[in-house]
Each structure stands twice: as structure tokens, then as C-alpha cells.
Amino acid sequence: MSTPAPRPVFIIGAPRSGTSVMTWALGQHPDIQPMPETAWIAAEAVAGLQSFRLGSDRGEFSHLSNVRFPFDRFLKHKGDAVNAVVHEAFSRRLTDKYGPTGQPGPDQLSDPEFLHIRLDPDHPKTRWVDGAPVNTFYTWALAQMFPQAQFLFHLRAPQGVIASLEKFEVAGGQPRARDEALQIWANHVKAAWKTELALGSERVFRVEFDRLQSEPAQLMSEICAFLGEPPDEACTAFLNRRLNSSGTYAEDIGSELSSLEHWPEAQALYEAVCTIQPERAGGDGKAVAYLRSLYKSLSENRPLLGDAS
């Protein structure tokens, strides 16, 4: 009996754009499990390039190049292995969170602050959602590892992200200076936008941050339709219960951001992204080349084996 192909959901875009709350909101769906931020999956993409090169660096004398093994197939096999680990880890999480039965008890179900990973033992949870922002820079490889993966591009105006990162300690994170926060926003948004251009609207859905607060029910309905999943009220209920701004003050600092060195470029990028409609067929060659080059540049000079000499 063949195993169904993995269909993960990756949330990409800048940190503090609602990525974490969306991970947990989608994780309330009967068929989607929420995951703590991984980082290791992106690391597997890096390891994929390095190990493939090790297996191909001596032409006919190396195992993979000897048979001209294709890189995309190699990455797909790594994706299948990652998927197996994710589901095994989920089984362990169920026991750790809910006890030997692996299902929530009455006290847990009645606690509005309890972050559930499965509400009912009959929920299949065949898919998983990963909201680690680092995945934004490895989407070319992730799309090869998981040919049926889908992506949610969370887009928030730069001033909102800067304000939130500057006060990140409110949410338990490390605060960032404004110029650093601006660069973080720009790097993530550019890579996420390129992903949208490369893969198109069938694989990338744009989530505008303001809609999380203004129309969560409609937004979640559209996201479920994009994912090919029936809508579920538990997803919207989680958004309504957990979404907050972490005490940010974007409006208060708006007039001060023009002094940042790269603020004009950030504004231009945001305007360009907002101008281009997300309903696209994908296949933008320049965007594909950019993402592949980004992946390779971030993966270079990271050998998996040390020099034994």
C-alpha cells in the first residue's frame, strides 16, 4: 500500500506578521497538525544540497553522479523522510500533551488558554503546517522536497513589523533595532514575493495582515478553500481568541521611520507587492532563478563531513 504524498503548509513572510497565530489556528483543523517552529526542516534542505554534492563530486566514481541521479528526485526523497519524522513526532506529542490516551480531557477542553494539537481522536491530521520564518529563504528547495506543498505568504506593512520587533520582548522575543528590523522585513518579504511569482496562486495564497483582525472568518474560509479543505469553525475561533498586536505602536513611530537609510526602498517594495495582484499562473523565470540562487548561496560552504586529514 503506497503512502500518500505529503502536503505540508508552509507559512512564509516576515516575523510578527501573524505567522505563529495562523500556524495554531490552522492546527485546529481536523486534518492539519500545528508544529512548533522547526528550523530543522530548512536545515535538511541545506543538507540535501551538501550531501548531493558529496555524492556527485567525482563524476563516474561517485555514487549519485555515476547514474546521473536527478537532484529534484533526491530532494523529494528527503521530503518523504522529513514527513515520516513529522508524523512520528506528532504521535509522541499527543502522548506528552494529553497522556497515554492521546486525547484531551474535559479540563483541557474547557481551558481557553490551552493550545491544542488535536481536539478529537477521530481527526486524521494527515497534513501539517510549519510557520518557521526561516523557511521563507528555502522555498525553492521546499517546493522540490514537497511537490504538493502549499504556501501562505503573510504580508504586513513594514512599519507594523518594525514596531513589533522593536517591542518583541513583550511577546518573549529579542527586541531589534529599527534599522535591523527593517532589513529583516525586507529580506523576508522579497523572498516570499518571489515565491508567489515563481509558484503562482495555485500554490501560494497571500494573507494580508489587516484581514486577520478585520475579517477572520472570511479569511479562514478562503484559506481552507485554497488548501482544498472544508472550513472549520475551530480555526476562526482560535484567531478571534488569540490574535493580538503585542502592544505595538506602528502609528506612533510612522513619522520617525523616514530617517532610516533603507526606508524608501522598503516603501517601494511594499508598494510593488501590493500593486501586483496575487492571482498569477506562476512560472516567473527570474523569480525561480532568484530563489534557487538564494538557496544555493545560503547552503554553500557548509560541508557535512569534516576534513579527516
Side-chain angles (χ1 to χ4, degrees):
M1 181 176 179
S2 61
T3 302
R7 297 186 298 141
V9 181
F10 292 102
I11 301 177
I12 58 177
R16 313 306 298 158
S17 298
T19 55
S20 295
V21 72
M22 181 59 73
T23 298
W24 282 96
L26 278 180
Q28 307 310 297
H29 192 281
D31 201 33
I32 303 174
Q33 56 156 295
M35 295 169 58
E37 291 187 2
T38 60
W40 72 271
I41 295 179
E44 282 295 323
V46 172
L49 179 60
Q50 296 301 332
S51 55
F52 186 82
R53 286 177 173 175
L54 285 172
S56 310
D57 63 351
R58 299 182 62 230
E60 63 179 301
F61 300 104
S62 290
H63 181 232
L64 297 177
S65 53
N66 177 268
V67 293
R68 298 175 298 281
F69 202 95
F71 185 43
D72 58 345
R73 283 291 296 170
F74 185 79
L75 286 180
K76 182 181 180 300
H77 284 303
K78 287 194 70 73
D80 291 339
V82 167
N83 186 60
V85 172
V86 166
H87 283 290
E88 183 174 331
F90 183 62
S91 297
R92 293 171 178 264
R93 290 176 67 207
L94 287 172
T95 302
D96 289 346
K97 198 171 186 70
Y98 299 125
T101 64
Q103 61 186 71
D107 292 341
Q108 294 168 324
L109 288 172
S110 63
D111 183 357
E113 298 302 314
F114 197 90
L115 296 177
H116 286 283
I117 59 174
R118 187 167 69 177
L119 292 167
D120 188 289
D122 292 330
H123 289 174
K125 298 289 186 178
T126 64
R127 305 179 70 177
W128 41 275
V129 55
D130 184 359
V134 69
N135 290 329
T136 305
F137 302 115
Y138 297 92
T139 55
W140 183 87
L142 294 173
Q144 306 299 315
M145 292 168 67
F146 307 100
Q148 295 189 34
Q150 292 174 285
F151 301 81
L152 302 182
F153 169 19
H154 276 235
L155 179 63
R156 186 180 187 182
Q159 57 266 33
V161 171
I162 293 170
S164 188
L165 285 174
E166 190 175 32
K167 297 286 187 179
F168 203 6
E169 73 275 8
V170 175
Q174 177 184 352
R176 305 284 187 166
R178 288 179 184 175
D179 54 350
E180 181 185 9
L182 178 61
Q183 197 60 53
I184 289 172
W185 176 89
N187 290 342
H188 283 80
V189 167
K190 183 176 182 181
W193 187 35
K194 294 292 187 181
T195 302
E196 183 180 76
L197 297 174
L199 299 181
S201 55
E202 287 191 1
R203 295 191 69 183
V204 183
F205 181 93
R206 189 185 296 185
V207 179
E208 296 174 2
F209 181 80
D210 291 344
R211 295 189 67 197
L212 289 171
Q213 297 174 307
S214 64
E215 47 180 354
Q218 177 62 29
L219 177 61
M220 289 304 306
S221 177
E222 292 176 16
I223 290 174
C224 287
F226 164 74
L227 296 175
E229 300 286 351
D232 193 270
E233 293 181 357
C235 299
T236 302
F238 186 92
L239 272 186
N240 288 331
R241 188 170 72 248
R242 303 290 300 193
L243 188 65
N244 63 74
S245 62
S246 300
T248 59
Y249 58 118
E251 295 80 7
D252 298 337
I253 67 171
S255 61
E256 304 171 12
L257 298 178
S258 59
S259 62
L260 296 177
E261 180 180 359
H262 297 291
W263 179 246
E265 294 98 310
Q267 282 188 306
L269 174 59
Y270 185 61
E271 291 174 3
V273 175
C274 291
T275 299
I276 302 296
Q277 295 299 313
E279 293 79 14
R280 299 177 60 88
D284 186 307
K286 290 183 178 179
V288 172
Y290 173 88
L291 293 171
R292 182 165 186 162
S293 177
L294 177 63
Y295 161 61
K296 287 187 174 182
S297 68
L298 292 172
S299 304
E300 288 176 349
N301 301 317
R302 295 183 180 184
L304 293 177
L305 298 178
D307 187 355
S309 62

